[in-house]
Amino acid sequence: MGDDKFDIELRALMRAAQGGDGAAYADLLRRSLPFVARVVRAQRAYGVEIDDIVQDVLLSLHAVRHTYDPDRPFSPWLAAIARNRVIDAQRKRGRIARNEESVAELPETFLPDHPNTRAPDEAEALRHAVADLPPGQRQAVEMLKLRELSLKEAAAASGMSIAALKVAVHRGVKALRLRLSSSDEINGGVP
Amino acid sequence: MSRLPTEDLIARIAASAEPVQRLRPPLPRTLLWFALSLPWVAAVVLIMGVRPDIGERLHDTRWLIEQGAILMTAAMSAMAAFCAGIPGRPRSELLIPLVPLVVWMALLGEGCVRSWLSVGGLTLQADWMCLPAIAMIGFGPAAVAAAMIVRGAPLAPVATTALGALAAGGFAAFGLRLFHLQDASLMVLVWQAGTVFGLVLLAGLGGPFLLRWKRPDQAPR
């Protein structure tokens, strides 16, 4: 009975959202979150972030919201999208896993002075240097250099334009280079 | 370092909530597909010239049942393809065209067996014109089906495009038999149905490239 009430309410909200009512749409999406998360978990989405899939489901719902018929129940419509996105995410994860190779020990060269791996303190220094960047530059460096998102993806996630991202990442990298090279000189480290 | 907070994403999505035109149910969409495709098929048939023995064929019950089965296969495939694009509908709807398809194949199979028993063998000749003819007649229905299919959700891309191709190919095979003087079951099975199934296979393989979910960067700003 509770499920019926939930469905009837969401059905009405979706009808309003299809008519362009932004407030009803936001309400619908918020109230759908626990249901979507439940469906995603029920699909045993191992190896993928639940939150990532939930967001994918919201975007997918938005992309195909015109396919919903308000005369039909809302929950099966939403659940079908969620299940489909979980399967897609698992396939993607599988493709990535097939191209990855696990090694017990990372191959390293141990030359006396210049090993090809970064020392822990250098990684720490890099983390600090990134954290000290101005917010715009930090976000651009994190998205484009550390998470390796495409410019389009980073623009979508940050709300910044592609041109602004390019400028911010250029300035950020320049600032990092300056800061790290000066700390290397101070420490007498590897050039 | 994490992606956009979900609450922000919801705000952005809701902010871009423009009114949308709802997709009509599969049956009216199938009728629309048929109505838009029919003039193309009719035009090609008229240009190629209706077969001279059409009067005779229209009194041939077996030929009429075969044509009916082909046309029903086309229409049911289109309807199944449209059902496939609506989340939450039963997957069993994708099997709707199987009934007329089995009838069509059974009639062709029975025709082959009957010819074999009466003549003592089956002859298969080259009939390459079926390939371009079916492609040409099917182009119109395929274009209309594609334009309508992409409006649905990409839940089952392979099945959806394969069904769309079966709809267009079936309609083309129906049209072909209105001007092409070839009724031998084996020839129809190999050249006409074979061409249709070849197109279905190709379309199915192309499905994942044609029907995709929008990428995150296509999210509302």
Side-chain angles (χ1 to χ4, degrees):
Chain A
M1 194 67 186
D3 282 350
D4 286 350
K5 191 174 171 239
F6 172 76
D7 200 278
I8 290 165
E9 286 170 0
L10 292 195
R11 206 188 291 192
L13 288 173
M14 188 61 181
R15 187 192 289 268
Q18 285 179 323
D21 183 340
Y25 201 9
D27 194 13
L28 168 92
L29 296 175
R30 272 187 214 106
R31 292 173 68 173
S32 298
L33 283 177
F35 176 78
V36 173
R38 209 162 55 235
V39 173
V40 171
R41 277 193 204 98
Q43 289 287 103
R44 298 194 175 93
Y46 297 125
V48 283
E49 279 287 327
I50 302 281
D51 287 348
D52 286 353
I53 301 185
V54 168
Q55 290 202 2
D56 276 348
V57 173
L58 296 185
L59 289 167
S60 303
L61 178 160
H62 181 64
V64 300
R65 65 193 189 281
H66 61 283
T67 65
Y68 176 65
D69 177 357
D71 292 334
R72 295 174 73 91
F74 179 77
S75 310
W77 180 84
L78 182 56
I81 295 173
R83 281 194 294 269
N84 190 268
R85 300 311 283 145
V86 171
I87 292 167
D88 280 355
Q90 285 174 325
R91 280 191 193 136
K92 193 175 169 188
R93 174 76 196 141
R95 276 197 300 273
I96 292 168
R98 274 198 297 279
N99 293 321
E100 283 176 349
E101 197 176 337
S102 298
V103 287
E105 284 180 30
L106 284 173
E108 295 173 16
T109 53
F110 291 99
L111 290 175
D113 294 329
H114 309 305
N116 69 346
T117 54
R118 288 266 170 194
D121 57 334
E122 285 183 62
E124 192 60 26
L126 177 64
R127 256 195 298 277
H128 282 302
V130 171
D132 288 345
L133 288 173
Q137 291 179 17
R138 186 175 68 238
Q139 194 179 20
V141 168
E142 282 176 351
M143 286 181 165
L144 296 169
K145 297 296 177 188
L146 302 183
R147 290 168 61 194
E148 296 182 340
L149 297 181
S150 70
L151 277 166
K152 276 186 178 178
E153 287 168 340
S158 66
M160 292 166 75
S161 70
I162 288 179
L165 274 170
K166 281 181 180 175
V167 171
V169 78
H170 174 75
R171 287 181 180 161
V173 169
K174 201 173 163 186
L176 286 176
R177 196 174 285 141
L178 259 175
R179 170 151 180 189
L180 292 174
S181 63
S182 62
S183 64
D184 276 345
E185 279 164 21
I186 292 165
N187 299 329
V190 185
Chain B
M1 195 83 174
S2 66
R3 64 191 303 168
L4 194 66
T6 302
E7 190 51 41
D8 291 359
L9 182 70
I10 288 174
R12 281 192 194 182
I13 292 175
S16 64
E18 289 163 3
V20 287
Q21 191 185 359
R22 279 187 209 114
L23 214 55
R24 274 179 282 197
L27 182 58
R29 296 187 82 211
T30 305
L31 295 174
L32 180 66
W33 169 78
F34 188 78
L36 293 175
S37 303
L38 187 61
W40 175 275
V41 176
V44 176
V45 171
L46 290 176
I47 290 167
M48 298 302 289
V50 179
R51 58 194 289 172
D53 64 344
I54 189 71
E56 233 175 278
R57 293 279 73 84
L58 291 175
H59 289 95
D60 178 349
T61 312
R62 184 192 173 85
W63 189 85
L64 288 175
I65 294 174
E66 258 186 56
Q67 284 291 79
I70 300 172
L71 199 57
M72 284 309 285
T73 302
M76 295 293 103
S77 301
M79 185 148 153
F82 299 144
C83 288
I86 301 175
R89 290 192 75 108
R91 278 301 175 97
S92 54
E93 287 178 338
L94 304 188
L95 303 176
I96 300 170
L98 268 185
V99 176
L101 184 64
V102 166
V103 172
W104 181 27
M105 291 299 112
L107 283 169
L108 291 178
E110 191 267 342
C112 289
V113 171
R114 208 164 39 154
S115 302
W116 187 59
L117 291 175
S118 62
V119 189
L122 292 170
T123 45
L124 181 66
Q125 296 161 331
D127 191 7
W128 291 103
M129 76 86 72
C130 287
L131 276 78
I134 286 180
M136 184 175 62
I137 312 166
F139 178 77
V144 176
M148 295 177 78
I149 282 171
V150 294
R151 289 212 67 218
L155 295 167
V158 174
T160 308
T161 50
L163 285 165
L166 186 56
F171 208 171
F174 171 84
L176 180 67
R177 297 196 70 186
L178 294 176
F179 66 83
H180 187 44
L181 285 163
Q182 180 56 270
D183 295 319
S185 294
L186 183 65
M187 294 292 286
V188 173
L189 183 66
V190 172
W191 291 102
Q192 297 180 19
T195 302
V196 171
F197 291 132
L199 292 174
V200 167
L201 185 70
L202 283 178
L205 291 174
F209 302 98
L210 295 171
L211 300 175
R212 290 177 166 187
W213 288 102
K214 288 184 177 173
R215 297 189 312 270
D217 55 289
Q218 292 168 311
R221 300 288 174 92

